[in-house]
């Protein structure tokens, strides 16, 4: 489909290197999550975003202070990119009070309200209406803020998506709907769940501005996100931002992926790894790369230490925070 | 003290809050020019304008969810769901989102949203326009549930719901909009979670909600003619529930009837009966009797509808059954 | 918007006269409903379709035996056009056992399963998913039948609409979705509830074939419906059939219509009355017209007699039909 | 007799019905290649093909509603809603449509649809992936509600649900899929509405559902060591409910505990307590005790989750409380 040709001045190598640092952090974090899960240390149900780091980083780096996001079951990358410290994210996965949701939420419910993360949702599409409402509040108060929803291709099939985008456009609220099309909903490939190939057509039902971008190219994502945010912030209405991306792992940690050929994943890892693409583009020397990698790995390893040394809630703490 | 209708009392609570507080606004289907399908919001568009009196598309999930988002962003939205039957479309947003954000965030968020809805039979709307579904929401921690039966209560409780920092499901009864009652000049907030005794009595406690409060008072007056002294208690808030008031009353009367328009099976009365026998077992001289709708959808034909939903006679029969029974 | 230019051979004057007979019957029936309601004889909540008769007749006359429909709160016209006798419809409005739903349903729940009417729904959009399922059953069994859903412009805002059309297209089932755009949802005009003007754009989100027709021209509706039904029946997939029409009365019987200017209605009645349009087109003599009118009026008056002489259910009948 | 897991028993009921009957087919998210998120439908795509094992988009309203339409057209669809928490999205279709079409049509239609769903905590899925919401559906005339706890029951009851002419909400418990049990060679249908006594006893009746059936049996064995004889009864079908079996048992034991994983407030236990005190008041020597989840959403941290949901110890404590109490 048509990829939006890139607006705005190009991004400096320094900034790109900084993006790489962030993407690499997310990558190493997710790999560590897989490892710790296999080691039996992490409770619950985990979904990693390996392959989709450029979307999280490109969009979140384009945000301004005061902008808010809502995430999904695949939330680690968005949460880290929005500025929550890896320690707090990892501590949440270990169910500790130091976690970003204080052990109440878990992997699918990462929150960091102070940093504008209104929470990850384990119900597909469940977070979209609240983003419309948040954007409405900004509009009613005349605040120059934008509300951003992340969701997947599968989420475009649910009624909540339709009602939310329809209402956002009707009321012309400052919202950006970021669709990460990784071509699968769990085990279900696009052709089994989507009647159309170009998901940007979803926006036509609302007369909403749509922008499509290569989700493996962080600079393109960043620039398109800037454009979308400016559009929404400027009062021109919400934007449907479609990022074509790939899930380079299973749907959940431990997913044997019986539903797709091993070669598909192997090939995607070679051709569609956003971290490798950026590394190549920056022509980093092996030393530079090793240093960046070391940094990221150190931070992630420290986060595991932090989490393991965290405080377990008391059983009775379960009865707190039910009501304000 | 001025006399107002239940309908006017609802409007007064909203309008007063909106005058004093920019963060309060209302959203719903046909609430603007038309003033709502029940006429509750008449005149509010003219006073507050279309930005704060927001006519919405038919999108129950999105309007409830937009209320959640605006509430998380610090406002105090009031969303009207035209008929209670349509809350079935918003259950995901109400149950998984509004009720749980505070908890899942470990206390970081609050969702001060008020969801007003109405229902109630007696006018042959058929099976999809008059259900009473309040019981479902009592099973959901994080929500508050309110169901007022008089003008004074509906005004004071709606005020408290708007200013409560949690999501409140606020039930109005279709057939009560026209009833009149005295209210104070200034709005007097009614604390959530406090029952009201409409009528003191010695022989039996009738715990009643919504329309059945009025049917129960009528039944109590009838019973008095037979020398039965009936206490009529309206919990007003179903979650949190004023268990203390209910138990204290039953410890005095040793008998209890619970009455609502909703279906008996798995209705609010089941919870009251379970609580009373748990907490006042040794005081009970008769089983807690339940009065409510018969076990079927609401039929259209008036003769059938009349038969399905409970009336004063049904409450009276339950009172006599309960009082007539020899101590257990 | 683009009106589908008419396919197939033209409709004979005889057939058109027959359509007029049917439309006039619906018109007189609805007028009688308004009158009997004002007289206090009809319980419940009533919505008449005055102004929309050409859609009901044009679509239902294009159906074949075995095709099924689902209707809405505005169901009298669809039900009569699908072949239920006026006596049975009127008896239902009076809550009699002789009614088409035996007094259990009422105006918003008219059923006639034997004649392929799977029921009217009082929940906006509530009947759409079942039409997808009915069409799926026809497809799985290899039956050459089509399932047709009627609904309004306002219904295109609800999630059920999105999920249903999306699934219908994905599974390529023989369904036709007839959207009667009368430009209002209760009191709410299009601009307050729809972010787009051309509702056929809704279909683009699913890659569904869309056809738009002047809903006040019964021949155009009939021919377009034939085309849509042939498309679906032939296995080419579902169709979104948009009929531009007008509600020449209030939303419900007794609606004071404070939300629209009296002139609007007056003018629409002069310019957009489908019965008058067809009458003019057929150049009927006053005698012919008077005769047709008399026929229709007689049938409707007889239906009131039939209904009033019908049997009231016994109170205890309420406990029947809860379970099969 | 062969031993199978609860998971295999569910699959066997579906596959056997699909082999003998073209009108039976299944729809749901990820039920094809992946075999369902719980592995229940593994191998069924290979045996029956994609037309009868239909992978769906994420559209809970439409897939439940498509099941309704196919059922009205004479088929016997089985729809899987991946997690019970997502039935909140389909409440309108289930409550206003599936449950009411027969009634609203005056008996013209039937909706022989089976909606399979699962839930249950104990594995830290968090607040939106393990709720137990069965109680809501008992408040809805027109539905049948089934909640089996053993391989034999789940197979025989699913079979009966598929061939019942009404819509059945069929609850499976996430943590029971792996348990094994003996089943007959041929499928033996289990009649809907018939309870099963797992263990006879004299001193107290424990009415338990789902996972709590097993916890209750464990608690009963513990209690026996203290000389308390516990009868454990699993209603298996919650609607219609085998009231006769429950009342008969309580008339024998004079004491009753009701246990489920769902939240106590407004849970199934409330209805059982209300019924038992209504129908066996003079037999009760102690109040009916309720065991269930504490009043909060499901927390993520294992220590908190463990504290919130009920276990054998909780049932045992309720048994002792109930038996220890002096007659009322
Ligand atoms: C309403 C709902 N239905 C089903 C699920 C189970 N589920 C969790 S993730 C998922 C797939 C989501 O696909 P997509 O939106 O593309 O996001 P992705 O997993 O690809 O990031 C499903 C079906 C759910 N969480 N919520
Ligand atoms: C889900 C739902 N929300 C609200 C209503 C109340 N209501 C009944 S008809 C109607 C307007 C429907 O508009 P449209 O779909 O255009 O049909 P029309 O009345 O114009 O024929 C509304 C909001 C309803 N019946 N169902
Ligand atoms: Mg995806
Ligand atoms: Mg309309």
């Amino acid at each position: 489909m048509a990829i939006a040709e890139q607006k705005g001045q190009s991004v400096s190598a320094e900034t790109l290197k900084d993006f790489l640092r962030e993407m690499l952090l997310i990558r190493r974090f997710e790999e560590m999550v897989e490892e710790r899960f296999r080691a039996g240390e992490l409770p619950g149900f985990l979904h990693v975003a390996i392959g989709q780091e450029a979307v999280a980083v490109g969009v979140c780096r384009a945000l301004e202070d005061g902008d808010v996001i809502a995430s999904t079951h695949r939330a680690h990358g968005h949460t880290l990119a929005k500025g929550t410290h890896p320690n707090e994210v990892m501590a949440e996965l270990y169910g500790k009070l130091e976690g970003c949701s204080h052990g109440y939420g878990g992997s699918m419910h990462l929150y960091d309200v102070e940093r504008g993360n209104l929470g990850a949702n384990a119900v597909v599409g469940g977070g979209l209406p609240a983003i419309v409402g948040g954007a409405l509040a900004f509009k009613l108060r005349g605040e120059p803020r934008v509300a951003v929803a992340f969701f997947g291709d599968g989420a475009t099939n649910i009624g909540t998506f339709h009602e939310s985008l329809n209402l956002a456009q009707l009321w012309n609220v400052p919202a950006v709907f970021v669709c990460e099309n990784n071509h699968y909903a769990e085990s279900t490939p696009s052709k089994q769940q989507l009647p159309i190939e170009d998901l940007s057509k979803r926006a036509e039902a609302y007369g909403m501005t749509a922008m499509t971008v290569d989700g493996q190219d962080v600079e393109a994502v960043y620039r398109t996100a800037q454009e979308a945010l400016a559009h929404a912030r400027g009062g021109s209405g919400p934007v449907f931002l479609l990022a074509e991306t790939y899930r380079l792992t299973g749907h959940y940690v431990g997913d044997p992926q019986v539903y797709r050929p091993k070669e598909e994943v192997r090939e995607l890892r070679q051709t569609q790894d956003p971290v490798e693409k950026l590394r190549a583009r920056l022509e980093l020397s092996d030393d530079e790369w090793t240093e960046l990698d070391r940094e990221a790995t150190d931070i992630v390893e420290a986060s595991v230490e932090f989490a393991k040394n965290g405080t377990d809630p008391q059983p009775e703490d379960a009865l707190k925070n039910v009501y304000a | 003290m001025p006399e107002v209708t239940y309908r006017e009392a609802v409007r007064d609570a909203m309008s007063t809050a909106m005058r004093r507080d920019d963060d309060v606004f209302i959203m719903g289907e046909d609430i603007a020019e038309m003033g709502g399908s029940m006429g509750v919001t008449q005149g509010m568009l003219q006073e507050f304008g279309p930005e704060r009196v927001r006519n919405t598309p038919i999108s129950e999930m999105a309007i409830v969810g937009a209320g959640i988002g605006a509430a998380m962003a610090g406002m105090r939205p009031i969303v009207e769901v035209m008929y209670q039957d349509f809350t079935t479309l918003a259950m995901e947003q109400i149950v998984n989102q509004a009720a749980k954000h505070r908890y899942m965030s470990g206390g970081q968020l609050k969702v001060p949203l008020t969801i007003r809805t109405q229902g109630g039979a007696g006018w042959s709307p058929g099976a999809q326009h008059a259900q009473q579904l309040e019981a479902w929401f009592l099973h959901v921690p994080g929500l508050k549930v309110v169901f007022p039966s008089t003008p004074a209560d509906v005004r004071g409780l709606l005020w408290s719901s708007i200013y409560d920092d949690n999501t409140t499901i606020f039930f109005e009864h279709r057939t009560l909009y026209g009833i009149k009652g005295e209210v104070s000049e200034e709005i007097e907030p009614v604390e959530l979670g406090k029952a009201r005794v409409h009528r003191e009595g010695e022989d039996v406690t009738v715990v009643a909600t919504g329309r059945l409060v009025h049917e129960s008072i009528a039944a109590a007056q009838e019973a008095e003619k037979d020398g039965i002294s009936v206490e009529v208690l309206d919990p007003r808030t179903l979650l949190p529930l004023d268990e203390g008031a209910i138990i204290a009353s039953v410890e005095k009367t040793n008998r209890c009837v619970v009455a609502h328009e909703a279906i008996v099976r798995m209705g609010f009365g089941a919870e009251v009966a379970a609580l009373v026998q748990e907490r006042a077992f040794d005081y009970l001289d008769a089983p807690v009797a339940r009065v409510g709708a018969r076990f079927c959808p609401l039929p259209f034909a008036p003769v059938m509808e009349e038969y399905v939903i409970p009336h004063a006679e049904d409450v009276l029969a339950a009172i006599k059954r309960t009082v007539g029974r020899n101590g257990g």
Side-chain angles (χ1 to χ4, degrees), chain A, chain B:
Chain A
M1 78 291 319
I3 298 290
E5 107 298 331
Q6 289 157 35
K7 305 258 168 37
Q9 78 270 63
S10 72
V11 180
S12 75
E14 243 341 286
T15 309
L16 285 178
K17 192 168 172 190
D18 186 40
F19 290 177
L20 178 59
R21 214 175 260 113
E22 185 78 28
M23 287 163 63
L24 195 51
L25 173 69
I26 295 171
R27 174 66 56 90
R28 297 293 175 249
F29 185 95
E30 298 288 48
E31 288 166 346
M32 180 64 81
V33 166
E34 293 182 322
E35 184 195 304
R36 295 296 88 206
F37 178 81
R38 292 208 188 79
E41 287 179 8
L42 299 179
F45 198 24
L46 297 154
H47 308 80
V48 296
I50 290 174
Q52 304 179 208
E53 296 89 349
V55 183
V57 171
V59 170
C60 289
R61 286 305 178 94
L63 298 174
E64 294 182 8
D65 290 352
D67 293 346
V68 299
I69 67 163
S71 177
T72 69
H73 54 284
R74 203 175 301 287
H76 309 163
H78 304 139
T79 306
L80 291 166
K82 190 71 172 76
T84 303
H85 195 286
N87 289 358
E88 295 174 23
V89 180
M90 192 62 83
E92 188 60 30
L93 304 189
Y94 275 83
K96 304 291 186 173
L97 288 174
E98 292 79 4
C100 59
S101 305
H102 309 304
Y104 288 75
S107 168
M108 297 194 286
H109 303 297
L110 302 175
Y111 287 78
D112 191 342
V113 176
E114 205 185 313
R115 293 187 183 74
N117 182 343
L118 296 183
N121 219 294
V123 179
V124 167
L128 271 60
I131 282 303
V132 179
L136 174 63
F138 300 157
K139 186 184 178 190
L140 289 174
R141 293 171 156 176
E143 298 170 349
R145 302 164 64 184
V146 181
V148 176
F150 288 97
F151 55 93
D153 48 307
T156 69
N157 292 313
I158 196 152
T160 335
F161 165 86
H162 176 70
E163 293 190 6
S164 299
L165 271 72
N166 190 61
L167 190 64
Q169 183 66 34
L170 180 70
W171 287 352
N172 199 54
V173 298
V176 174
F177 299 94
V178 181
C179 179
E180 296 185 64
N181 180 14
N182 63 7
H183 308 89
Y184 281 93
E186 289 209 11
S187 70
T188 308
S190 302
K191 67 170 182 346
Q192 276 185 40
Q193 52 141 343
L194 298 165
I196 54 175
E197 283 188 3
D198 177 3
L199 281 182
S200 70
K201 289 221 178 329
R202 296 292 202 196
E204 293 182 20
Y206 319 111
M208 188 182 292
T209 301
M211 301 179 188
T212 302
V213 67
D214 175 356
Q216 308 312 84
D217 175 345
V218 69
E219 179 177 5
V221 173
Y222 175 74
R223 289 170 156 196
T224 312
Q226 279 186 317
E227 199 188 337
L229 289 159
H231 183 96
R233 203 184 309 277
S236 310
V239 177
F240 181 73
L241 173 47
L242 174 62
E244 296 294 339
T245 183
Y246 298 92
R247 195 187 78 202
L248 301 179
T249 56
H251 168 62
Y252 58 92
V253 179
D255 178 0
Q257 300 188 70
V258 293
Y259 49 82
R260 64 169 169 175
K262 295 261 167 299
E263 307 69 55
E264 178 183 319
V265 182
R266 204 176 302 114
E267 194 202 315
L268 286 174
R269 284 209 170 245
Q270 276 152 21
T271 60
Q272 294 293 347
D273 184 327
V275 175
E276 290 302 329
K277 281 186 167 193
L278 184 53
R279 173 188 180 176
R281 161 126 184 244
L282 286 170
E283 292 165 349
L284 295 182
S285 72
D286 289 1
D287 292 358
E288 289 174 295
W289 170 258
T290 320
E291 191 196 325
L292 283 176
D293 197 353
R294 183 72 260 148
E295 272 177 41
T297 309
D298 289 347
I299 295 171
V300 169
E301 282 168 353
S303 76
V304 172
E305 272 316 295
F306 176 85
K308 288 183 174 178
N309 298 325
T311 322
D312 284 319
Q314 293 302 308
E316 311 73 35
D317 288 340
L319 301 179
K320 297 180 184 161
N321 297 317
V322 180
Y323 290 95
Chain B
M1 307 231 288
E3 239 204 359
V4 301
T5 62
Y6 187 96
R7 175 183 287 108
E8 290 161 343
V10 174
R11 186 187 306 141
D12 189 36
M14 292 191 285
S15 297
T16 308
M18 286 174 72
R19 280 178 207 123
R20 78 161 223 185
D21 192 340
D22 285 345
D23 285 333
V24 181
F25 68 101
I26 62 178
M27 299 190 272
E29 293 157 16
D30 303 290
I31 66 168
E33 285 79 1
M34 185 168 150
S37 66
M38 301 295 138
V40 172
T41 55
Q42 259 166 32
M44 293 180 72
L45 171 69
Q46 292 70 12
E47 178 174 358
F48 300 104
E51 288 292 298
R52 297 184 66 199
V53 177
R54 307 188 70 87
N55 227 21
T56 70
I58 305 169
S59 304
E60 279 73 9
M61 293 189 286
I63 63 183
V64 167
I68 292 168
M72 295 196 305
M75 301 189 77
R76 296 191 174 279
I78 303 167
V79 168
E80 175 175 311
V81 175
M82 195 187 280
Y83 284 79
Q84 221 172 105
D85 310 72
F86 314 146
T87 60
T88 52
L89 286 157
M91 291 303 281
E92 194 285 312
Q93 288 293 306
I94 295 171
V95 172
N96 293 333
Q97 310 297 331
K100 295 179 170 55
H101 273 304
R102 179 170 188 77
Y103 194 79
M104 297 190 297
S105 67
Q108 291 173 76
L109 280 172
K110 52 184 175 140
V111 188
L113 168 65
T114 302
I115 299 171
R116 289 182 46 243
T117 189
Q118 63 81 36
W123 55 290
S124 281
Q128 295 175 335
H129 269 66
Q131 294 171 84
Q132 298 272 281
L133 302 172
E134 65 278 359
W136 285 351
F137 302 92
L138 308 188
H139 199 43
V140 184
L143 297 179
K144 294 193 176 182
V145 181
V146 182
F147 192 1
S149 64
T150 70
D153 285 348
V154 84
R155 194 178 69 163
L157 284 163
L158 181 51
W159 183 269
S160 299
S161 300
I162 293 167
Y163 285 102
D164 191 276
D165 279 341
N166 304 284
T167 295
T168 301
I169 318 296
F170 195 88
F171 291 98
E172 297 160 19
H173 196 287
R174 159 82 187 232
T175 67
L176 295 182
Y177 282 119
I179 65 165
K180 292 193 154 185
E182 292 206 331
V183 296
S184 54
E185 287 293 347
E186 295 290 300
I187 286 181
E188 282 170 357
V190 175
E191 189 183 339
L192 301 185
K194 288 262 164 295
R196 165 168 169 174
V197 173
H198 275 274
R199 194 175 185 289
E200 305 220 327
E202 300 305 320
D203 301 331
V204 57
T205 300
V206 177
V207 177
T209 62
R211 179 177 63 85
L212 268 290
V213 171
H214 304 276
E215 301 287 318
S216 297
I217 290 169
Q221 283 154 359
E222 272 307 303
E224 199 155 36
K225 297 179 184 160
D226 303 348
I228 305 172
S229 161
V230 181
E231 181 146 306
V232 178
L233 180 150
D234 177 0
R236 304 190 293 188
T237 305
L238 307 189
L239 181 62
L241 181 64
D242 192 346
E243 296 181 30
I246 295 170
I247 300 304
S249 176
V250 175
E251 287 180 349
K252 177 178 71 173
T253 62
N254 306 111
R255 291 177 157 85
C256 183
V257 170
V258 53
H260 49 59
E261 187 177 305
I263 284 166
V264 170
R265 176 59 49 111
M266 208 66 248
F268 172 60
E271 182 60 41
V272 171
L275 280 171
V276 167
Q277 64 91 40
E278 268 163 26
R279 297 189 48 183
F281 188 74
D282 297 329
Y283 291 86
L284 280 178
D285 290 341
V288 180
R290 293 187 283 170
V291 175
R294 298 180 194 266
F295 198 70
C296 60
L298 285 163
F300 169 68
V303 291
M304 293 197 286
E305 188 197 35
E306 169 88 0
Y307 172 78
V308 168
I309 63 173
H311 306 284
E313 311 83 77
D314 304 290
V315 179
L316 183 60
I319 287 170
K320 291 186 171 174
R321 215 167 59 240
T322 304
V323 173
R325 199 175 193 288
N326 301 335

